[in-house]
Amino acid sequence: MTEPIFDHGRLDVYLLSIEYVASSFTVAKDLNGCHRHARDQWLRAAQSIPLDIAEGNGKRSLKDRSRFPDIA
């Protein structure tokens, strides 16, 4: 049995999305009070980008692989 290959870490778009998540958390730390709900939604959305890219990169069919970056 072969080990799965997780090569999404080599994708430029994945690395950029990780940087975006980090910068989002840096900026969002100053948002509170009435901005709390928007901040939480923003951070969840930011985190979903690299997760969708990684999940899509693990798909075997080209159709599935191309669908996930569109979602991200």
Side-chain angles (χ1 to χ4, degrees), residues 16-61:
L16 287 171
S17 69
I18 293 296
E19 289 177 23
Y20 177 71
V21 171
S23 64
S24 296
F25 270 87
T26 301
V27 172
K29 70 181 177 184
D30 296 328
L31 298 175
N32 53 27
C34 66
H35 303 290
R36 185 182 74 235
H37 298 295
R39 178 199 63 209
D40 294 344
Q41 178 61 32
W42 174 29
L43 294 177
R44 283 192 306 272
Q47 290 173 324
S48 75
I49 297 169
L51 294 173
D52 285 338
I53 292 168
E55 183 179 355
N57 198 51
K59 299 295 181 182
R60 293 194 183 268
S61 77

